[in-house]
Amino acid sequence: MNYKYYRDLKHNYLVVKLEKQSEGEAYQLKILSGGRLAGLLPCDVRNVNGEQFLYYEIGSMQSLRDRYTSRGMNRAQQLQLFSDMKDMLEGLSEYLLGEDGVVFDADSIFVDLTTGRYSFMFCPFAAAEGGFEKLTEQLLDMTNSEDEEAATAIYELCEYATGKGAMTIEGIEKLLKAAPACEKETPLPAVIPPGESISFEPEDSDDEDEDEEDDEEAAVFAGIRSHKSFGLKRAEQKLGARAQLLLAGLFALLVAGMVYVRKAYILTSQENYMSMAVMAVSLVCGALCFVSGFKGYRGKNMPDEEKVISHEDISESEEEEEEEPGFSYNYDYEEPVNESFYKTPLKITAGSSGDGCVNNATMVLNMDEEISGPLNLYSRNLDKTVRICLDKLPLTIGKMEGCVDKVLKDMSVSRIHCRIFRDEDSGRLALVDLNSTNGTFKNGLKLTPQEKNYIDEGDEVRIGRICFDCR
């Protein structure tokens, strides 16, 4: 079936050209455009230049192929798909419509990433486009091989679909019935029969081993806390020293204020004695606070002997911790990556003789000898540079974790935005927009959804509002 993607303002459509319709197809189109069938894509019939087209509104949904190419389908998602498919087929039977018009194709079944529900495409003249057997073969490639239950179920469904007289609804019911039921715990008997006794066997020693490991972890973390307390004491001592210096400053301001009052006003004898007493007390307290605060603030710079002793103690405790089996702690922090990390290192070679250096001659580089590594995408309009390595393809980019290979946490990026892969025919890198909301751009030109576009070194790729340089 030939169809194209079309975007009108905030609506995304899957457009199919409507062929010459028969009487039966007219009834199906009337039911379809009325929106009475749950589980089907909303459809609208439009006349454009004398031709009729079916506009299926897909919104922000993604097809099965785009959704599960990067991360395979697990058992729960598999059951949800066939459960929605069963409800859809039962709804068709209520309006005397069969499964002949349902397009069983991974590109025509869409999933809502918010709710996880599936919607199916119904086209009256799509009977010759392949049936349920084709869909099972596609799902076999998109199923997560690590999920044994999902892989076993889809294998059995493929065998059933290839058999003669196989019916879609029966195959779906067979798969849903094969879902494992929740195991219930068997309750203990309320009454013990006479003459019988219940013997309790000792459990394995796994709990004892876990207790021993917990004790070892507690001992190790106690050592770490002792190291951390060293820094905490220093911080508290520094804070107390600053407070004492602040008090010394306040006392000095009080003395200065009393001196100003004595010079500006005429005091009585009683007020004169009181001011002198306040000044004396303030001077003594200020001096004590200043001396104590100065010593405490200077104490953060420990003498060399104390530093050597403290570091030796810490190193000895770290060696003891490393000797314990099963525990290794690294207190080194990771250095920030310099911008030069993302640049290709230059290989400086000297000539065979030193005459070129003496004569200031320039050596001609052989560009063929340079090793060309895989291309990368580097962002250039973010506060922190984001690098997308293109060595492992295909690569799906979006902001929804668990559905894409590279997560971009930005509001302008769709949940499943675009995909980069290597074209089998030409061997070049190809970029495909996956029906994103804000679009994908190459060198300033917006890409058509689901259309393959080649990218080379030096191209600019914009995903939402994030600009990347391909180099």
Side-chain angles (χ1 to χ4, degrees), residues 124-186:
F125 49 86
E129 296 295 331
F132 185 69
E133 180 182 355
K134 176 183 176 182
L135 177 63
T136 56
E137 294 177 357
Q138 295 174 344
L139 292 178
L140 183 61
D141 297 332
M142 292 185 292
T143 301
N144 188 2
S145 58
E146 298 179 357
D147 194 336
E148 297 181 358
E149 295 183 359
T152 303
I154 197 63
Y155 270 116
E156 294 178 354
L157 189 61
C158 288
E159 294 179 358
Y160 173 81
T162 55
K164 294 183 179 180
M167 297 182 65
T168 304
I169 192 68
E170 291 182 358
I172 295 174
E173 291 178 351
K174 183 179 179 181
L175 183 139
L176 295 177
K177 290 180 180 179
C182 298
E183 297 181 358
K184 298 182 179 180
E185 297 181 358
T186 56

Side-chain angles (χ1 to χ4, degrees), residues 38-316:
L40 296 181
L41 292 174
C43 182
D44 187 19
V45 182
R46 299 184 183 181
N47 296 319
V48 180
N49 296 329
E51 296 180 342
Q52 287 187 333
F53 294 88
L54 297 178
Y55 279 70
Y56 295 91
E57 186 174 358
I58 58 179
S60 60
M61 295 186 292
Q62 294 289 338
S63 64
L64 282 182
R65 191 181 304 277
D66 294 335
R67 168 64 179 86
Y68 296 110
T69 297
S70 300
R71 306 293 176 90
M73 179 183 295
N74 56 32
R75 179 60 170 165
Q77 296 165 343
Q78 186 184 83
L79 293 176
Q80 183 66 45
L81 169 63
F82 288 104
S83 177
D84 293 345
M85 187 182 298
K86 179 184 176 182
D87 296 339
M88 180 269 300
L89 294 176
E90 291 176 351
L92 289 177
S93 62
E94 294 180 1
Y95 289 91
L96 303 179
L97 299 177
E99 63 180 53
D100 296 337
V102 180
V103 183
F104 291 103
D105 187 78
D107 295 323
S108 303
I109 302 175
F110 292 83
V111 54
D112 191 341
L113 300 178
T114 304
T115 61
R117 303 302 298 269
Y118 297 85
S119 299
F120 302 85
M121 180 179 178
F122 184 87
C123 190
F125 49 86
E129 296 295 331
F132 185 69
E133 180 182 355
K134 176 183 176 182
L135 177 63
T136 56
E137 294 177 357
Q138 295 174 344
L139 292 178
L140 183 61
D141 297 332
M142 292 185 292
T143 301
N144 188 2
S145 58
E146 298 179 357
D147 194 336
E148 297 181 358
E149 295 183 359
T152 303
I154 197 63
Y155 270 116
E156 294 178 354
L157 189 61
C158 288
E159 294 179 358
Y160 173 81
T162 55
K164 294 183 179 180
M167 297 182 65
T168 304
I169 192 68
E170 291 182 358
I172 295 174
E173 291 178 351
K174 183 179 179 181
L175 183 139
L176 295 177
K177 290 180 180 179
C182 298
E183 297 181 358
K184 298 182 179 180
E185 297 181 358
T186 56
L188 294 175
V191 180
I192 302 175
E196 295 184 4
S197 61
I198 299 178
S199 61
F200 296 94
E201 296 181 357
E203 297 181 354
D204 297 336
S205 60
D206 294 339
D207 296 338
E208 297 179 358
D209 296 339
E210 293 179 356
D211 294 339
E212 294 179 358
E213 293 178 358
D214 294 339
D215 295 339
E216 293 177 356
E217 290 182 0
V220 172
F221 283 111
I224 297 175
R225 285 194 297 268
S226 64
H227 299 329
K228 291 182 177 180
S229 62
F230 180 78
L232 293 175
K233 291 179 180 179
R234 287 292 152 202
E236 293 176 356
Q237 183 178 1
K238 184 177 179 181
L239 182 60
R242 290 181 176 178
Q244 292 175 353
L245 291 176
L246 181 60
L247 288 176
L250 293 177
F251 282 120
L253 292 177
L254 181 60
V255 172
M258 296 303 299
V259 172
Y260 173 77
V261 170
R262 289 175 59 85
K263 290 184 177 181
Y265 301 96
I266 299 175
L267 304 178
T268 63
S269 60
Q270 185 177 2
E271 292 175 346
N272 190 18
Y273 293 141
M274 186 178 297
S275 62
M276 292 177 63
V278 172
M279 291 175 60
V281 173
S282 299
L283 286 174
V284 174
C285 294
L288 293 176
C289 291
F290 178 78
V291 174
S292 178
F294 182 76
K295 289 183 177 179
Y297 191 81
R298 189 180 180 184
K300 69 183 182 70
N301 299 323
M302 298 174 57
D304 296 337
E305 296 180 358
E306 294 181 4
K307 287 185 178 180
V308 172
I309 295 174
S310 61
H311 284 294
E312 288 178 355
D313 295 338
I314 295 175
S315 61
E316 290 178 0

Side-chain angles (χ1 to χ4, degrees), residues 318-377:
E318 289 180 352
E319 291 177 357
E320 293 176 357
E321 291 175 2
E322 292 178 356
E323 292 177 358
E324 295 183 3
F327 295 97
S328 61
Y329 294 89
N330 186 11
Y331 299 96
D332 296 335
Y333 64 94
E334 184 177 359
E335 293 288 341
V337 181
N338 297 327
E339 186 178 358
S340 60
F341 173 78
Y342 299 108
K343 299 179 181 179
T344 305
L346 299 178
K347 184 178 181 181
I348 308 300
T349 57
S352 57
S353 61
D355 297 338
C357 297
V358 175
N359 299 330
N360 294 327
T362 303
M363 182 180 62
V364 179
L365 298 177
N366 186 5
M367 304 303 294
D368 297 334
E369 294 180 357
E370 293 188 359
I371 302 175
S372 59
L375 294 177
N376 299 318
L377 295 179

Side-chain angles (χ1 to χ4, degrees), residues 377 380 428 431 440-447 453-463 467-470:
L377 295 179
R380 56 182 173 85
R428 300 173 61 187
L431 174 65
T440 306
F441 298 80
K442 173 192 172 185
N443 296 331
L445 299 178
K446 188 174 184 179
L447 305 183
N453 297 268
Y454 295 109
I455 56 175
D456 299 311
E457 185 176 2
D459 290 340
E460 178 194 88
V461 177
R462 182 157 67 90
I463 303 175
C467 294
F468 291 90
D469 293 326
C470 184

